[in-house]
């Protein structure tokens, strides 16, 4: 062991109270940073799962000046061959008025091919009653959102009257209820594509295509390729920019605040080391008199700062991971779950990469922070240092 490291460790052990305060301040800051990062990643993942993952990642609309897509089967085949596209689902959607007994509400009636639609929105996983695929085998049936079902007071097996100006009124039997935990539960209903075409009296046409991608981050690139077919196409980042803004604003503000906390904790280490330099002035002079070089004195104090930073980072991340995993086990009360979009537990994601980055960043920050007091110690005159008290 090099003697600089030996002396650095001896200094840390000798000043137990200062060491505990310095390590504790860094550990506390790193713990907050770790927990916050796990929450941020968890909530971001949940946001993607409940929004982006259920949205069409690219939406295709009719050509300029057209209300419908007529030769949609050919277009589906063409888009399906585009690199990065994993599923394409046609739909015909519009507003409709739903009436059951004395209850009446307006909502979106979306005609789809159930198998293809499930590849886009994974709606089968959100079914709480009935079977989404029954739309495929029966006509004049409908699947509705849970909140809309509550307001209409309908259950599977009931028939609702559906009407709208310029549409053919129908009586649709409810064959399922879904719950996504999003506003769609109150505003969206599904029926078969044939039934929707009959209701809106527009046979064999659609007014949009939903496209799912291997990588949702490539939405604009794929949309640009689809637009070469002559149809309008937009990625989810264009149709729902508020999702990106929400994530960016929360992530930036979170990182700035937590970064400042770590910087403040590191300044605590600098302050402790400065006091250490003042208190060890005579010992520094003796070391210089015994032949220790300026570089060795500088190394001793930089090592002290690094060790304190590393200890604080390790203790802080360990504590933060334990607290994060504990928070992840907390089950939300049923009432609160509705407020948070149907989440049953607090979404927590602890990523090994984040932990390693936090430890490395805090270690380097403290290494840099230790340079100033190390320079102050190295500049001490040996004669004056030995004679000082």
């Amino acid at each position: 062991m090099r003697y600089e490291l030996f002396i650095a460790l001896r200094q840390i052990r000798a000043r137990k109270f200062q060491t505990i305060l310095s390590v504790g301040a860094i550990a506390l800051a790193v713990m907050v940073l770790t927990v916050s990062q796990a929450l941020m990643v968890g909530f971001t993942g949940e946001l993607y799962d409940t929004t982006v993952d259920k949205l069409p990642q690219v939406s295709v609309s009719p050509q300029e000046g057209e209300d419908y897509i007529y030769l949609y089967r050919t277009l589906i085949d063409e888009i399906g061959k585009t690199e990065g596209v994993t599923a394409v689902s046609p739909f015909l959607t519009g507003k409709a008025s739903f009436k059951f007994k004395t209850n009446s509400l307006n909502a979106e009636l979306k005609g789809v091919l159930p198998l293809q639609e499930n590849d886009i929105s994974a709606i089968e996983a959100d079914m709480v009653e009935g079977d989404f695929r029954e739309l495929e085998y029966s006509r004049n049936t409908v699947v509705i959102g849970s909140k809309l079902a509550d307001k209409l007071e309908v259950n599977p097996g009931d028939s609702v009257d559906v009407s709208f100006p310029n549409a053919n009124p129908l009586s649709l039997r409810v064959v399922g209820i879904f719950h996504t935990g999003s506003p769609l539960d109150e505003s969206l209903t599904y029926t078969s594509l044939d039934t929707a075409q009959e209701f809106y009296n527009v046979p064999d046409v659609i007014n949009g295509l939903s496209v799912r991608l291997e990588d949702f981050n490539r939405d604009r690139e794929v949309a640009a390729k689809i637009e070469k077919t002559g149809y309008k196409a937009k990625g989810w980042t264009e149709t729902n920019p508020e999702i990106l803004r929400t994530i960016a604003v929360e992530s930036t503000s979170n990182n700035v605040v937590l970064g400042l906390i770590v910087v403040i904790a590191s300044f605590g280490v600098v302050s402790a080391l400065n006091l250490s330099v003042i208190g060890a002035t005579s010992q520094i002079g003796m070391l210089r008199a015994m032949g220790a070089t300026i570089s060795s004195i500088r190394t001793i104090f930089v090592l002290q700062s690094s060790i304190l930073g590393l200890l604080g980072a390790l203790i802080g991340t360990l504590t933060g991971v334990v607290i994060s995993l504990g928070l992840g086990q907390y089950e939300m009360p049923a009432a609160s779950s509705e407020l948070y979009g149907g989440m049953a537990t607090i979404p927590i994601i602890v990523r090994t990469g984040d932990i390693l980055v936090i430890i490395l960043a805090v270690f380097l920050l403290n290494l840099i922070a230790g340079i100033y007091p190390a320079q102050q110690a190295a500049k001490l005159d040996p004669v004056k240092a030995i004679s000082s008290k």
Side-chain angles (χ1 to χ4, degrees), residues 10 102 136 186 201 264 294 326 366 369 374 382:
R10 187 184 178 90
T102 59
E136 193 173 350
E186 191 173 353
N201 196 25
I264 291 169
I294 292 176
N366 280 273

Side-chain angles (χ1 to χ4, degrees), residues 15-328:
R15 294 178 172 79
K16 290 181 181 175
F17 185 66
Q18 287 181 6
T19 299
I20 291 172
L21 284 181
S22 299
V23 172
I26 297 170
L28 192 60
V30 172
M31 181 196 73
V32 173
L33 181 62
T34 305
V35 173
S36 179
Q37 180 67 14
L39 282 169
M40 190 68 204
V41 174
F43 274 111
T44 301
E46 187 70 23
L47 187 60
Y48 275 115
D49 288 343
T50 56
T51 54
V52 180
D53 206 42
K54 294 183 183 301
L55 287 172
Q57 289 156 2
V58 175
S59 300
V60 182
S61 306
Q63 292 175 322
E64 194 70 35
E66 299 280 353
D67 293 327
Y68 302 104
I69 299 174
Y70 295 92
L71 302 174
Y72 64 90
R73 294 181 183 84
T74 305
L75 183 60
I76 290 172
D77 291 340
E78 190 172 350
I79 292 175
K81 295 173 184 173
T82 306
E83 182 187 354
V85 172
T86 59
V88 184
S89 176
F91 63 83
L92 176 66
T93 188
K95 287 292 181 184
S97 179
F98 293 78
K99 185 176 181 183
F100 181 70
K101 296 181 180 176
T102 59
N103 301 317
S104 180
L105 286 169
N106 287 339
E108 180 184 351
L109 179 66
K110 189 173 185 180
V112 297
L113 300 176
L115 184 60
Q116 284 90 328
E117 180 62 22
N118 188 58
D119 290 339
I120 299 292
S121 61
I123 189 67
E124 283 188 13
D126 295 322
M127 295 297 294
V128 291
E129 290 187 71
D131 184 0
F132 184 71
R133 296 288 297 278
E134 192 170 338
L135 294 176
E136 193 173 350
Y137 310 118
S138 57
R139 291 182 64 86
N140 293 349
T141 51
V142 66
V143 169
I144 65 177
S146 56
K147 289 185 179 178
L148 183 61
D150 289 341
K151 291 187 175 181
L152 288 173
E153 299 179 347
V154 299
N155 294 298
D158 292 335
S159 291
V160 293
D161 295 325
V162 187
S163 61
F164 209 66
N166 301 321
N168 295 321
L170 291 175
S171 179
L172 302 181
R173 181 169 54 88
V174 178
V175 294
I177 296 173
F178 64 86
H179 179 79
T180 63
S182 71
L184 295 178
D185 296 339
E186 191 173 353
S187 62
L188 181 63
T189 65
Y190 289 100
T191 187
S192 68
L193 185 57
D194 290 340
T195 302
Q197 289 170 343
E198 179 185 349
F199 176 71
Y200 291 111
N201 196 25
V202 284
D204 207 25
V205 297
I206 60 172
N207 55 10
L209 288 170
S210 302
V211 180
R212 190 172 182 82
L213 309 177
E214 286 178 354
D215 179 1
F216 57 69
N217 293 310
R218 295 181 57 199
D219 60 307
R220 296 197 181 207
E221 174 192 338
V222 175
K225 289 181 180 176
I226 293 173
E227 283 200 315
K228 292 178 181 176
T229 62
Y231 291 88
K232 291 184 285 186
K234 286 186 177 181
W236 69 270
T237 53
E238 292 179 90
T239 55
N240 296 275
E242 67 280 358
I243 297 175
L244 282 182
R245 279 200 297 271
T246 301
I247 293 172
V249 169
E250 288 184 359
S251 178
T252 303
S253 59
N254 188 56
N255 290 337
V256 168
V257 171
L258 295 173
L260 289 175
I261 292 173
V262 174
V263 169
I264 291 169
S266 298
F267 269 100
V269 175
V270 175
S271 177
L273 284 177
N274 270 322
L275 291 174
S276 175
V277 171
I278 295 170
T281 300
S282 59
Q283 291 93 324
I284 294 170
M286 291 179 67
L287 283 171
R288 292 293 312 279
M290 292 169 67
T293 62
I294 292 176
S295 173
S296 294
I297 298 298
R298 188 185 298 118
T299 302
I300 289 169
F301 281 89
V302 170
L303 280 172
Q304 284 187 55
S305 176
S306 305
I307 293 169
L308 292 174
L310 185 61
L311 282 174
L314 291 174
I315 295 171
T317 50
L318 180 63
T319 311
V321 168
V322 171
I323 292 175
S324 298
L325 295 177
L327 284 175

